[in-house]
Amino acid sequence: MKQYTFSEIGYLLDYNNVNHLSRQFKEIVGMSMTEYKNSEESKRNHYDEII
């Protein structure tokens, strides 16, 4: 399964600015996208499971 970069994720979600996505992600989830990605505790959903 391909892992998308944050920029690719922003593009796929129709964000003009990955920083805007990053700020919203941190506000909602409570940690940065990098922290979330590196967290072993998180059960992440793959992109194709979300859409």
Side-chain angles (χ1 to χ4, degrees):
M1 166 97 20
K2 176 182 174 163
Q3 286 197 3
Y4 292 94
T5 66
F6 296 139
S7 294
E8 290 171 325
I9 293 168
Y11 174 79
L12 291 168
L13 295 174
D14 203 26
Y15 278 81
N16 293 326
N17 184 326
V18 73
N19 292 326
H20 181 88
L21 169 61
S22 178
R23 284 190 304 274
Q24 283 191 322
F25 186 93
K26 187 166 187 172
E27 183 178 311
I28 293 167
V29 177
M31 63 178 79
S32 72
M33 293 190 297
T34 301
E35 290 171 327
Y36 184 78
K37 179 181 176 185
N38 294 333
S39 172
E40 292 187 32
E41 295 177 17
S42 67
K43 182 175 190 280
R44 300 183 313 171
N45 293 323
H46 294 282
Y47 178 73
D48 62 343
E49 296 172 355
I50 297 171
I51 58 170

